[in-house]
Amino acid sequence: MPGVITLKSRQRRMMDWINTNLAYRFIAIGRTSPWEDENNPPYPDEKSQEITELIGLQRVDSYKFAKVIPNPTTLQKRTGVYYKGLYYATTQDSEVALAEGYTSILVRVTLDRDTVESIPVGVTFRQVGLYVGVNATPDEIKYGITRAQWENKLDEDKGTLEVIDNRPPLGRQADQMEEIYILLDF
């Protein structure tokens, strides 16, 4: 019979991730080339160390603790976060998260046309990644990191690509704001 990672261990790793000072965390977008089947992107390669056809990076806006709602009520559907076919209860209170058995973190970035200069309007992207440990200048923290700025960084300043996700195409429009989520499950 296989072993199981305990809830307490998963929660400890979740809290370690939240509390570790890894410089800055950024969500990167890329991949402008179409997938062979645009509605079914390929599964990402776990050996990936970079986003394909990087467009730009934006500093993470927020982190919330998350937990799947197995059979959500109508109210839970309205108040929860819908992500990849499931509804999640979220909280920013670590004590509530630990007491109620949360073991995931939902990371969010907002691409607002007025404040995000690193990711141009009109671009279509298919890949999202989470970089941790990025050493960034004050302007990069505030406005994001363009592809040119990223290419000029030393490898040790780029941190680590921790999560990569291939998605169907998403276009960045001038008249809308995009929220991009990545879920880390511990």
Side-chain angles (χ1 to χ4, degrees), residues 77-167:
K77 287 179 179 181
R78 277 187 266 160
T79 59
V81 173
Y82 187 73
Y83 180 77
K84 292 197 173 188
L86 297 171
Y87 286 93
Y88 289 84
T90 61
T91 182
Q92 290 183 308
D93 186 328
S94 61
E95 290 181 18
V96 169
L98 294 172
E100 295 183 10
Y102 286 58
T103 58
S104 300
I105 297 172
L106 195 60
V107 179
R108 183 190 79 180
V109 68
T110 304
L111 303 180
D112 183 338
R113 67 181 172 87
D114 294 328
T115 59
V116 176
E117 297 177 6
S118 61
I119 301 168
V121 170
V123 71
T124 297
F125 59 94
R126 295 162 177 81
Q127 200 170 62
V128 176
L130 174 65
Y131 281 89
V132 298
V134 176
N135 288 323
T137 68
D139 278 348
E140 291 171 340
I141 292 164
K142 185 173 181 178
Y143 301 112
I145 303 172
T146 65
R147 181 177 56 213
Q149 290 168 315
W150 187 253
E151 289 171 354
N152 287 325
K153 283 190 174 295
L154 300 173
D155 285 344
E156 57 265 21
D157 291 335
K158 292 181 177 181
T160 302
L161 178 62
E162 189 152 302
V163 177
I164 188 167
D165 187 16
N166 293 341
R167 299 179 177 193

Side-chain angles (χ1 to χ4, degrees), residues 12-54:
R12 178 192 50 78
R13 288 185 290 141
M14 175 182 72
M15 294 307 298
D16 285 350
W17 192 88
I18 280 287
N19 294 325
T20 300
N21 182 5
L22 292 172
Y24 292 98
R25 297 172 178 139
F26 283 79
I27 288 185
I29 67 167
R31 180 71 189 209
T32 56
S33 299
W35 302 116
E36 189 173 307
D37 178 352
E38 286 279 78
N39 294 318
N40 295 302
Y43 192 78
D45 182 356
E46 69 179 17
K47 295 178 184 171
S48 298
Q49 296 181 20
E50 292 284 332
I51 291 291
T52 306
E53 301 168 16
L54 181 79

